Structures are given as C-alpha cells and as structure tokens.
C-alpha cells in the first residue's frame, strides 16, 4: 500500500516551506523542500563559472544530483543569487525532467521510518504528484510576501532595499508563472490558502482541517 503524500505549492515567500515543515511534523511525515533542488543546480552552475542560462550545463548538473549531496544543505542555497539562478534553471525542460525522478522517489519511499511525505514547491500538485492525497496552494499578496522576505533578510543581517525585494519578487513570480513547462498555478483540485492575513499557526490550523477532511488522517498530537 502506498504511503500518503501531501502536495504544497505556491509563490515565493507565501509561507509554503514553513507550512510544509509544520504539516510534516504534525503527521510524522518526511518533508522535501523541492526548491532546494533547483537552488542547488543554480549554485553549482554559478560555482563552475557558467551562465545560469546555460541549459546543457544545468541539465548535466541536475542529472548528477543525489539525495545525500552536501550542496543540498549548503547555506549559499538560501541567498537571493541562488533564488534567481534557481528560477532560471527551472525553465529548462531537461532540468525539470532530471529532477522528476528524485522528487517522485522521495514521495514513494520517504527516508527513515516516515509514515508519509510532504513536498513543497511550484508543480507538486500539477506535475510531480498529481495523485497526492491532499493538495494545498499557499499564497499571499506580493506586497505581503516581499515584506516577509525583507524581514527574513534583515533577521539574517543581509542589507536589502524594500523596493528591490518587491521588484525581485515580481520578476520571479512572472518567470515562474509564465514559463512553458510546469508553470506555477494551482492544481484544479487544490485547496487555495491565502495567508495574507494569517500567521503561521492559523495557516497550519487551516491546512490540518483541509487535510483531515480530504484524507481522514489525524495528527500525532
Ligand atoms: N502565515 C505566515 N505569516 C507570517 N509570516 C509567515 C507566515 N508563514 C511564513 N512566514 C514567514 O515568511 C517568511 C517566508 O516563509 P517561507 O515558509 O520560507 O516561504 P516559502 O517557502 O513560500 O518561500 C519566513 O520568514 C517565515 O517565517
Ligand atoms: N517545484 C519547484 C520548486 C522550485 N522551483 C523554482 O526554484 C525557485 C526557488 O524555489 P524556492 O521554493 O526555494 O523559493 P522560495 O519560494 O522559497 O523563495 C523558484 O522561483 C522556481 O523557479 C520550481 O520551478 N519548481
């Protein structure tokens, strides 16, 4: 029997990563932040001195990526340079194809003794796990998301100009939602969760209510 899979998608800084981690903890599931795969490909490409638009080099790196590669936990992945490079390699169909097996493998056989899997990204409910047991599309206004990202940068001591953060967010939104392959959009059967006026606790409660109604699953606590 296959283990339950929860798909969580949404734009940058919508809170999908925070929600995915909390949902995974609540149900005893393993969590995969699929954005880190695209970020890893982008960072490795930059470290090789290649252009983030070099599709052949990006595809080669994506095909070689393994679950225990140290790049997946490298702090460089969290920077804005990595985010921009990630959204550039993410438009390459060969990169997406190479990362598909990695993600489906995790969903089918989550590590450790996890009782299921939570994957967060842009195309989990539409492409990677179209048969997921529950799908959430987390969103918030672009202004709220830019403000969250700005606070995050400030907390990490990274200087940032508010108008630049907002412009970067809009540029990435446009690239992610307008690309030809696996564009960012809610799956037809996704529950859309707008967190603009919700804190992380409220978002978790709404997600658990939806997952419970779809799957009958109960949380551990
Ligand atoms: N519902 C929420 N309300 C306010 N801030 C949030 C909420 N969810 C997440 N955050 C904060 O917003 C920032 C971006 O959240 P994150 O989960 O990393 O987003 P994503 O994975 O969608 O990029 C983080 O600093 C996080 O603590
Ligand atoms: N499943 C996914 C996850 C990320 N991505 C790409 O990778 C970039 C970085 O994703 P992320 O989830 O780490 O970014 P944030 O939303 O955390 O800012 C995105 O802008 C997308 O272009 C994707 O195309 N598909």
């Amino acid at each position: 029997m296959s283990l339950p899979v929860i798909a969580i998608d949404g734009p940058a800084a919508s809170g999908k990563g925070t929600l995915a981690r909390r949902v995974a903890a609540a149900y005893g599931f393993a969590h995969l932040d699929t954005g880190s795969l695209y970020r890893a490909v982008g960072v490795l490409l930059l470290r090789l001195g290649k252009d983030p638009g070099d599709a052949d080099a990006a595809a080669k790196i994506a095909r070689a990526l393994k679950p225990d590669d140290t790049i997946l936990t490298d702090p460089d992945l969290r920077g804005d340079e990595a985010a921009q490079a990630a959204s550039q390699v993410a438009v390459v169909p060969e990169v997406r194809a190479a990362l598909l097996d990695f993600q489906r493998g995790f969903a089918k056989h989550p590590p450790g003794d996890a009782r299921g899997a939570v994957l967060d990204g842009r195309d989990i409910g539409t492409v990677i796990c179209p048969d997921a047991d529950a799908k959430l599309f987390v969103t918030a206004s672009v202004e709220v998301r830019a403000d969250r990202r700005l606070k995050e940068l400030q907390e990490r001591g990274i200087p940032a100009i508010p108008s630049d953060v907002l412009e970067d967010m809009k540029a990435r939104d446009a690239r992610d939602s307008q690309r030809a392959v696996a564009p960012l959009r809610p799956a037809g059967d996704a529950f859309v969760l707008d967190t603009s006026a919700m804190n992380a606790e409220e978002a978790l409660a709404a997600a658990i209510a939806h997952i419970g109604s779809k799957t009958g699953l109960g949380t551990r606590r």
Side-chain angles (χ1 to χ4, degrees), residues 9-13 16 33-36 38-39 78 83 86-88 90 96 103 120-124 149 172 176 179:
D9 291 302
K16 62 188 177 302
D33 161 13
T34 66
S36 66
Y38 294 89
R39 285 171 183 262
R78 307 296 13 130
S87 81
Q88 282 178 268
R96 304 202 74 85
Q103 297 170 81
D120 82 85
R122 298 290 188 290
D123 62 341
I124 309 304
R149 190 50 39 98
R172 202 139 64 88
D176 288 350
R179 68 181 175 219

Side-chain angles (χ1 to χ4, degrees), residues 51 78 102 177 194:
D51 186 279
R78 307 296 13 130
F102 187 118
S177 49
D194 188 331

Side-chain angles (χ1 to χ4, degrees), residues 11-18 21 120 148-149 152 195 198-200 203:
S14 55
K16 62 188 177 302
T18 303
R21 274 191 302 279
D120 82 85
R148 287 179 186 167
R149 190 50 39 98
E152 221 180 333
T195 68
M198 277 184 190
N199 62 30

Side-chain angles (χ1 to χ4, degrees), residues 116-192:
V118 182
L119 284 79
D120 82 85
R122 298 290 188 290
D123 62 341
I124 309 304
T126 51
V127 176
I128 307 295
C129 302
D131 299 327
D133 298 84
K135 299 179 185 178
L136 292 125
F137 189 87
V138 187
T139 187
S141 72
V142 71
E143 290 78 15
V144 166
R145 292 187 286 115
D147 197 48
R148 287 179 186 167
R149 190 50 39 98
L150 187 69
K151 285 207 184 85
E152 221 180 333
L153 292 170
Q154 286 166 344
E155 275 163 22
R156 283 161 48 205
I158 301 168
I161 302 164
S163 57
D164 285 357
V165 174
L166 181 62
E167 285 317 306
D168 284 356
M169 191 71 70
K170 286 181 178 168
R172 202 139 64 88
D173 279 0
R175 199 152 46 221
D176 288 350
S177 49
Q178 287 161 20
R179 68 181 175 219
V181 239
L184 173 69
R185 63 176 173 81
D189 53 350
F191 174 68
V192 178

